[in-house]
Amino acid sequence: MQTLKLPTASHKNFAVGAPFAAKVVPRVGIRHLPVGKCPSGSIASPEPTTAPRNVTAAVAKMLHKKGILVTELPAWKALKEHVHDIESTHLRDLLHDEARCMGLIKESEGIYCDFTRQRVTQRTLEHLYELAEQTNLRGKINAMFSGEHINSTEDRAVLHVATRAHRNQKIIVDGRDVVPDVWEVLDKIQAFSDKVRNGEWLGVTGKPLKSVVAIGIGGSFLGPLFVHTALRTEPNAMRASRDRTLRFLANVDPIDVARALDGLDPEETLVVVISKTFTTAETMLNARTVRSWLIERLGQDAVAKHMVAVSTNLKLVKEFGIDPENAFGFWDWVGGRYSVCSAVGILPLALQYGFDIMQEFLAGANNMDEHFKNQPYQDNLPVLIGLLSIWNVSFLGYGAKAILPYCQALSKLAPHIQQVDMESNGKGVDMNGVRLPFETGEIDFGEPGTNGQHSFYQLIHQGRVIPCEFIGIVRSQQSVYLKGEVVSNHDELMCNFFAQADALAYGKTPEQLRSDNVPDYLIPHRVFTGNRPSMSIMLPSCTAYTVGQLLAMYEHRIAVQGFIWNINSFDQWGVELGKVLASKVRTVMNSARTRDRKVLPQDGFNYSTTRMINKYLEGKTQVLYPEGHDVFPIDMLRAGH
Ligand SMILES: O=P(O)(O)OC[C@H]1O[C@](O)(CO)[C@@H](O)[C@@H]1O
């Protein structure tokens, strides 16, 4: 049996390896160790440094800028001590304090946020503001907006905010105003989407293109899917998308191909291949598969009329066979998971809903960007939400959060934020490559209310403590009121929205249960401890504009958390290793399934993987790939015939 050897990665600012015991050295400033092998075979991280005790806030900020770990800052230590104060409180009591509650309800940009059910007092917030100060939060926000290369491991600016800038704004990256570039692409999207929608751009057989299949994965899929799902039943968007279809194809699983194409007429279908790199294995295989589907039915010329692309890699787009004229660019300073406001989202969504509606979405996101950039911490929604999350994760020890929109249209918010948050903040080292002595990031999950109530709410009421984010809407996209019913359907939904937050906060005591005549033997089972934190966010409506605001608010709160933890929220090295290993398996698979058989499963894999691969290879009736023709799933054959 051979042992699997994992490749090691190295980068000038990036260190990998097994957790390396961080020594605390009694001096100020970061010490960069030469990157070298530890006895364990891993690569050493630079060592952390500590602050002298009792430094002033200004000195702490300066030390942080020099690389001191956030845990060494006086504000962090003060928050650690403050945990004891909070542990002696219960939300039941905190909610009785009206003065406290008044200070914890914020209304800004039409969004109403209620933080009263967080396990915090005014003192907690003051400590958190101090932590923001000492970690130079304002300076880091400004650095992001001014195009500094804050994504240090990839040496890139982080400027998704530029993708939704007004035409007259100026945003400089490396000495160049990028807003005209952004608008050049937006204008091109407008012209193209108008042509497709009004039938000026026709398919190769002369039919209008009414269906769009957007192929992409991760950030090239989840954000656009979230916005599409949010707008599908919004009255203006519904009107604008009548008789049009937008589908997504993300998974490399051929079942997803069959589902995405099921029932579509290739003559009326436009395919948008979306990939920042244009190298992502799943997306490129799906793109080749759908290209083959089009060519088989419509001939080689179909590609020019039925396939367009969104990418930063226009060279590979051309090599794939898509006319660069039909490619929509974006830039390396737009991270994949932050790219929904670039052509990644705006092209497929404008094809479905028209450019005007997408402009409203961009305006909403821009409104939140300006708010984030300009408002003081005390009134700044992403800053407040981000700081409260830091408190919940790093001080109260709640490692997960539930995103619970009481709005079916927002059903894809949680999956989108799951990627944005977990890919951004799931890191093990700080900006200087120092291994962190605490866990960053949060485990995000969620479902729309009330569906979630009948699924996992049991656990959040009586099991683990998971801070909840309830999102409610004042005016529903779709109102229903049945004569004789106690409340309208949307009011019924919102009754649950209001009730759940209080149920989590107050719980139910044994005394209350006794006075409700609950038998003694059932009391322990029916006690709710309460004291479970949540926040409630209310939007006036669910429109393109407010969806833009909500998206940007979540993006920025994630950045705030990363800035405070002093991690790089904008790289994603953690996704690389699996890709490398998959490629090794691919070589074996190809060899086993063709007559060449040069590489066998046992080459380079451990016992377990070898045995599993062998079992898989044996388990198929058709052992070798067919020669000389493509094979499509049954549904794809049916489609278009
Ligand atoms: O747009 P691309 O280059 O195909 O990448 C897709 C996704 O893959 C990742 O790089 C890793 O999952 C994401 O960050 C990104 O959104």
Side-chain angles (χ1 to χ4, degrees), residues 217-220 275-277 280 283 336-337 419 423 572 575 579:
I217 198 165
S220 296
S275 174
K276 180 174 173 179
T277 54
T280 302
T283 300
R337 54 194 173 273
Q419 189 210 6
E423 199 164 270
Q572 58 285 316
V575 300
K579 289 187 199 171

Side-chain angles (χ1 to χ4, degrees), residues 79 186 318 348 477:
L79 277 160
L186 287 175
K318 189 171 175 202
Q477 289 180 345

Side-chain angles (χ1 to χ4, degrees), residues 379-396:
D379 300 317
N380 194 312
L381 300 180
V383 168
L384 285 164
I385 298 173
L387 289 177
L388 289 167
S389 269
I390 292 276
W391 170 244
N392 286 331
V393 177
S394 294
F395 297 95
L396 298 183

